[in-house]
Amino acid sequence: MAVIVKYVVERNGVERMTFTSKKEADAYDKMLDVAESLEQMLSKVDVPLSEQQVESLALEIAKQKDEFVAVLKGSKPAVTKKAKPSAKSNTENVTPLKEA
């Protein structure tokens, strides 16, 4: 018989996520704390957002907090390069010309 240790992150009596490492569980719990604080801040802004939008936005900002903090400190956001389409994909939707 194997013994498996699981760390469960719980909020308001609801299990949110289960982890196998304490470090991951603590990081997720901290991210939820940040999201909760952001929700309180966002609910006070003068922008019409639904409760669901506020919750979703707060969670996304909390997930990417390091990037947001860097931008708020004056850094430019990291630019992700879009992959160039390959030559094959450029011709996939082209109909071949018929010879006259």
Side-chain angles (χ1 to χ4, degrees):
M1 179 200 273
V3 175
I4 300 172
V5 177
K6 292 184 180 181
Y7 297 90
V8 178
V9 177
E10 183 181 292
R11 286 285 169 158
N12 302 324
V14 178
E15 287 187 21
R16 297 293 299 240
M17 190 78 81
T18 302
F19 297 92
T20 56
S21 89
K22 183 174 180 358
K23 183 178 178 181
E24 289 175 336
D26 286 341
Y28 186 77
D29 188 50
K30 184 176 180 181
M31 189 263 310
L32 290 177
D33 286 339
V34 170
E36 190 173 295
S37 296
L38 284 167
E39 278 184 53
Q40 292 171 359
M41 261 182 62
L42 289 170
S43 65
K44 296 176 186 175
V45 297
D46 193 24
V47 178
L49 297 171
S50 70
E51 188 176 324
Q52 180 62 39
Q53 288 172 320
V54 168
E55 185 179 319
S56 297
L57 183 58
L59 190 57
E60 287 304 314
I61 292 171
K63 286 179 184 177
Q64 300 177 29
K65 78 172 182 167
D66 294 335
E67 290 85 358
F68 276 94
V69 168
V71 170
L72 291 170
K73 287 183 177 180
S75 300
K76 292 187 178 182
V79 178
T80 56
K81 294 182 180 180
K82 293 182 179 179
K84 291 182 180 178
S86 66
K88 182 180 178 183
S89 66
N90 285 339
T91 60
E92 286 178 349
N93 296 328
V94 177
T95 304
L97 296 173
K98 293 182 182 178
E99 291 183 25

